[in-house]
Amino acid sequence: MSLNLDDKQGVDDLAADPSKAYDGKINGRRIRQVKEIDGSEATCLVLLEVSAKARAMVSVTLGTQGSTNQACDDAFSVAQAVEPQLPKA
């Protein structure tokens, strides 16, 4: 699991396969969840919008015993915990 802050790129700047991306909200903050990052199974990324050109990124990669759905559940849980600590957009 990793948490990264990016002050140069927003949620829309990530090029992702539309069939593996989901847009939603956590506490009213825009997010994008991307399954199977770079085609790898058991991986998930959740981007949280801080501003048009800033985002927080939670990335989860599970081993061979994990699934993509579990990786996304874990990434979403971490994103929910991180969201209240971010500046309001």
Side-chain angles (χ1 to χ4, degrees):
M1 195 270 315
S2 67
L3 171 64
N4 297 293
L5 303 175
D6 186 337
D7 66 349
K8 305 260 187 280
Q9 299 180 84
V11 169
D12 291 327
D13 293 321
L14 177 73
D17 178 345
S19 70
K20 297 185 185 246
Y22 163 78
D23 289 330
K25 293 190 184 255
I26 294 177
N27 296 329
R29 184 184 302 270
R30 187 168 163 242
I31 68 160
R32 178 166 294 155
Q33 182 181 68
V34 182
K35 294 181 175 188
E36 298 179 353
I37 307 157
D38 296 328
S40 301
E41 291 184 20
T43 61
C44 193
L45 176 69
V46 176
L47 306 171
L48 298 104
E49 185 173 72
V50 176
S51 72
K53 290 295 179 184
R55 65 190 183 196
M57 301 176 290
V58 178
S59 177
V60 172
T61 301
L62 300 178
T64 57
Q65 299 300 316
S67 69
T68 298
N69 287 339
Q70 183 61 53
C72 286
D73 289 347
D74 293 351
F76 191 81
S77 293
V78 173
Q80 285 180 305
V82 167
E83 189 282 327
Q85 307 305 315
L86 297 173
K88 296 298 175 197

